Amino acid sequence: MAPPPIDRRLLPHTFGPWFGRFEGLREVQRLGIPPILAGRDTLLASATASGKTEAYAAPGAEIAIAAGRPPAALVIVSPTRALANDLKRRLEGPMQRIELSFGRYTGEHKERVDGGLPSALVTTPEGLDSLLARRPAALADLRLLVLDEIHVLDRTARGDQLRLLLHRLDRTARSAPQRVLASATIDRPEELAARYLRDPELVLVPGARRILAKRFDGAGLAEMAAHLDTLAEAGLRKLLVFCRSRNGVELYAHKLRSRTRFGEAIFAHHGSMAKQARERTEQHFQRAHAAVCFATLTLEMGIDIGSVDYVLLANLPSSVDSLLQRIGRGGRRGDANRAGYVVENEAEAHRFGVLFRLAKEGRLCGEPYAFRPAALAQQTLVLACSKGSLTADELARELDPKILAAFGPKAAAELLLGAGARGDLEPRPGKSWVPSERLLGLHDRGLTHSCLEDEPGQEVVDRLTGDVLGRIEFGDDDHVGIAGAARQIVHGQGGRLLSDASPGAEPARFQTRRGPSIGFALARATVEALGVPPDALGLAPGVGRWHLLHGLGSAALPLLLDQLRGLPGYREPIGQSAFSLTLPGPAPGPWRFSPLRFDRALEDHSKLWLELFGESPRSENLPRAWLLRAAREGLGLDALRAFLESCRLVHITPPPAREILADL
């Protein structure tokens, strides 16, 4: 049964400006606005383009007005600066109509009203961190804090940084601010809400749009050009193509310009491009009658690039969540997400098929959550710089006690000692620590507020305009392509490469990083779709070899191999992946699990676990036990152990298609 309509009198200032041009409120708005107005911490979870922004912005503005329009009464935290800019564009008009001051506080824009913060503010986790450290009094009247697109931040160091900032906000504001989360795709919403909210109201709106997917064979330049022309011939004008890497984006955008029906209207978008270059891409794509944009995950989220007729996936996403985010960018005006996927072999086709099936069933196969202690190290440095000196007792009061307690009774002291070992803090009499000159210099430049690694490489600059086009890590001596355009390097100095437009340059090359790991749940779903029982490892014959379909994911390979090495008849595999091992003969056996070998493998491969879990540089000198515990929890190694203890080895009859096994 549909929820009852909202009494317009609940939104006396905002109903008209926000909803007056619509026939009625969307379901997430009818369900979400009342608990927000009632002061409840609320989670809003519904499909892409379902009206979540209005569901929190309209009541948030009413709360700010009821409070007397003080500075920073409503603060919206966006995952990225680009999304913050997009929210500014979307909300500025309605905010002006109700005369509520509205602006941004990010590394690029610090907008003020009469010298202070506007009443409604959009920022990033780093911007919020900066405000708390440098202008805490400006947040004293904060009434409502919104964490938008929370799934992008959760299970990352930035999400854990936010959790610590929530505690500090409660200590800074005159009264503990109300909190709202908004997201389109959430796995285990109750657990997520418990991490960020208090006694929350969960507004979970079902009804994801239909998914229509089409296969395209071949990812080479000629095949990709043919795919784009096929879509153009079908009447599709605005195409968004997602690639796994920046190298792929640059290659396609550079080489396919003028080689398809889209002519010159082919653009690139990725994180190593400068802000101005990315924004130009967004504007050109939005204004073009017909265009193609090749992008990495920078466009997974809701940046406004206008209507997208079709999404094409040039590579496999690493998760169901990522798949949904990407295909959700297309066809928003219809009742279905229309997407294509490019495959180079039957194994990729099988994996895409599993991802799409799970997406249609609403099974996200999310990974376990683990708090990343690097966020504690980052907050320790910021607090030391903002306060001038810091003791363990003071640090323990500023950090969330529930989080800190998980790391032991002396956690605060160990954080200070670790920062001292890195040379970031220096001891002083009275058990206090002060920031080093080097750290103060970083803090003065605003470089302590982020949990992200610095972007490597050199800036490519247009010599005539001075515009930064992006950062590159490799390139020949004279020519390079960046943002899909050819440049000639004319001078290099101090990490900057001055360049002119030049035909014939090769695309920029970026360092290849380890791809995202495949989790246990998704890997198991992939092999179970080939007939492997849920409680088993599957053995299937190939041509002159055998395939052990384990489906344990990226993190478990060393653990499985160590177990197999203890069995009679073991021979080293000739191929391995997150889904299978290719063996030169039948699997060793009989299968049995060795707890001692498992525990030893955990220690022997600890460096790999830390790398896969992805801690930040500030993890250096943190207690190793903290890091290993977080990695073990976040990679689900205990669940893997339980599976290996109880699983059995079975032959798959009839065997799956050999063309799938060859490349899985």
Side-chain angles (χ1 to χ4, degrees), residues 149-442:
E149 304 281 10
I150 187 60
H151 63 280
V152 177
L153 297 168
D154 190 49
R155 295 189 174 93
T156 71
R158 297 175 76 217
D160 293 335
Q161 176 188 9
L162 265 181
R163 291 187 64 191
L164 297 172
L165 295 180
L166 292 175
H167 176 73
R168 291 178 58 198
L169 276 173
D170 286 349
R171 289 172 51 81
T172 299
R174 291 189 174 91
S175 59
Q178 181 185 353
R179 305 169 187 173
V180 169
L181 306 179
S183 178
T185 53
I186 296 179
D187 191 39
R188 298 187 288 270
E190 295 83 2
E191 295 179 18
L192 181 138
R195 287 195 278 276
Y196 300 91
L197 305 179
R198 300 154 300 201
D199 187 25
E201 177 86 10
L202 271 57
V203 177
L204 310 177
V205 179
R209 296 192 301 165
R210 292 184 303 136
I211 298 173
L212 304 177
K214 174 179 172 59
R215 170 174 169 168
F216 292 82
D217 287 294
L221 290 171
E223 291 98 337
M224 183 60 74
H227 302 333
L228 299 183
D229 283 342
T230 297
L231 294 169
E233 290 166 3
L236 300 168
R237 296 180 302 166
K238 299 294 243 348
L239 310 182
L240 180 56
V241 185
F242 281 107
C243 301
R244 178 184 298 118
S245 68
R246 295 164 294 171
N247 290 324
V249 168
E250 289 289 352
L251 178 67
Y252 284 133
H254 190 84
K255 295 292 188 179
L256 294 183
R257 187 169 287 124
S258 301
R259 290 186 55 183
T260 74
R261 290 174 176 265
F262 293 91
E264 292 287 317
I266 291 186
F267 306 107
H269 197 287
H270 58 75
S272 290
M273 290 168 53
K275 171 183 73 75
Q276 297 93 332
R278 291 196 307 272
E279 290 180 351
R280 269 197 305 274
T281 286
E282 295 159 19
Q283 293 164 5
H284 290 329
F285 185 79
Q286 187 177 47
R287 295 168 183 167
H289 172 74
V292 179
C293 183
F294 290 94
T296 57
L297 53 78
T298 53
L299 286 182
E300 270 192 15
M301 294 166 285
I303 299 170
D304 186 7
I305 52 174
S307 61
V308 174
D309 296 326
Y310 200 81
V311 171
L312 184 62
L313 306 176
N315 305 105
L316 279 152
S318 62
S319 66
V320 182
D321 188 353
S322 180
L323 174 79
L324 287 169
Q325 284 295 119
R326 294 182 181 194
I327 65 176
R329 297 307 315 271
R332 293 191 176 200
R333 295 177 181 173
D335 63 349
N337 291 323
R338 303 172 66 192
Y341 56 96
V342 178
V343 301
E344 295 197 86
N345 53 55
E346 291 305 315
E348 287 189 355
H350 172 72
R351 290 180 59 190
F352 263 119
V354 171
L355 283 168
F356 276 107
R357 176 175 57 79
L358 294 171
K360 293 174 182 179
E361 295 172 356
R363 294 171 54 196
L364 299 185
C365 294
E367 292 300 288
Y369 171 80
F371 184 90
R372 297 170 184 265
L376 292 169
Q378 182 265 337
Q379 287 293 289
T380 299
L381 303 187
V382 171
L383 286 164
C385 290
S386 63
K387 293 179 177 296
S389 67
L390 196 62
T391 67
D393 288 342
E394 290 169 338
L395 179 60
R397 286 193 293 271
E398 291 288 345
L399 299 176
D400 188 321
K402 292 181 181 178
I403 293 174
L404 199 62
F407 297 94
K410 297 181 179 179
E414 291 184 89
L415 286 166
L416 293 171
L417 286 170
R422 286 193 305 272
D424 291 325
L425 300 183
E426 299 171 354
R428 287 291 184 268
K431 299 182 180 181
S432 67
W433 294 76
V434 298
S436 66
E437 288 298 321
R438 183 184 64 83
L439 180 63
L440 283 174
L442 294 173

Side-chain angles (χ1 to χ4, degrees), residues 476-511:
D476 62 32
D477 293 336
D478 299 313
H479 292 83
V480 69
I482 185 70
R487 311 294 302 180
Q488 180 177 6
I489 306 302
V490 296
H491 182 63
Q493 183 178 12
R496 290 164 65 88
L497 302 173
L498 299 182
S499 69
D500 293 331
S502 172
E506 287 300 304
R509 289 171 289 155
F510 300 91
Q511 183 175 348

Side-chain angles (χ1 to χ4, degrees), residues 73-106:
L74 167 63
V75 173
I76 304 168
V77 179
S78 173
T80 67
R81 296 174 183 178
L83 280 174
N85 296 337
D86 191 57
L87 282 171
K88 172 71 182 299
R89 289 193 294 268
R90 294 173 60 188
L91 296 177
E92 192 166 31
M95 292 292 187
Q96 287 177 345
R97 288 193 286 275
I98 61 174
E99 299 182 348
L100 187 68
S101 59
F102 179 57
R104 291 163 292 184
Y105 190 93
T106 67

